[in-house]
């Protein structure tokens, strides 16, 4: 699971996208409206991590679905 803030100026989104593309195992890239430290969104980020780890999204291997990277960004 990679969660990347769309307003992150410290780590380019392209880096997260490249890691996502290269990794062959179960994966998901979620791009959310946030800065580098996810200011004010720590509970949401924690909930996303827990959901992904528990398999609740049902899309762990494809990255498709709401809030997921689809290769177009």
């Amino acid at each position: 699971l990679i969660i990347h803030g769309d307003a992150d100026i410290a780590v380019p989104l392209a880096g997260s996208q490249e890691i996502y593309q290269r990794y062959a195992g179960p994966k998901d890239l979620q791009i959310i409206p946030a800065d580098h430290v996810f200011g004010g969104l720590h509970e949401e980020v924690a909930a996303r991590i827990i959901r992904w780890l528990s398999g609740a999204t049902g899309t762990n291997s494809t990255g498709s679905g709401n809030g997921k990277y689809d290769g177009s960004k």
Side-chain angles (χ1 to χ4, degrees):
L1 172 63
I2 301 169
I3 301 175
H4 195 104
D6 65 356
D8 188 340
I9 60 172
V11 177
L13 177 57
S16 291
Q17 292 169 329
E18 182 176 348
I19 291 168
Y20 176 84
Q21 292 295 334
R22 289 176 179 236
Y23 185 70
K27 61 185 178 180
D28 194 6
L29 172 56
Q30 300 183 14
I31 303 165
I32 64 172
D35 60 10
H36 182 69
V37 297
F38 305 108
L41 297 173
H42 296 138
E43 288 184 22
E44 177 184 339
V45 170
R48 287 171 179 265
I49 293 168
I50 291 166
R51 246 188 338 266
W52 192 81
L53 289 174
S54 69
T57 63
T59 59
N60 290 349
S61 63
T62 65
S64 63
N66 187 20
K68 310 297 185 282
Y69 177 63
D70 65 5
S72 64
K73 292 184 181 180

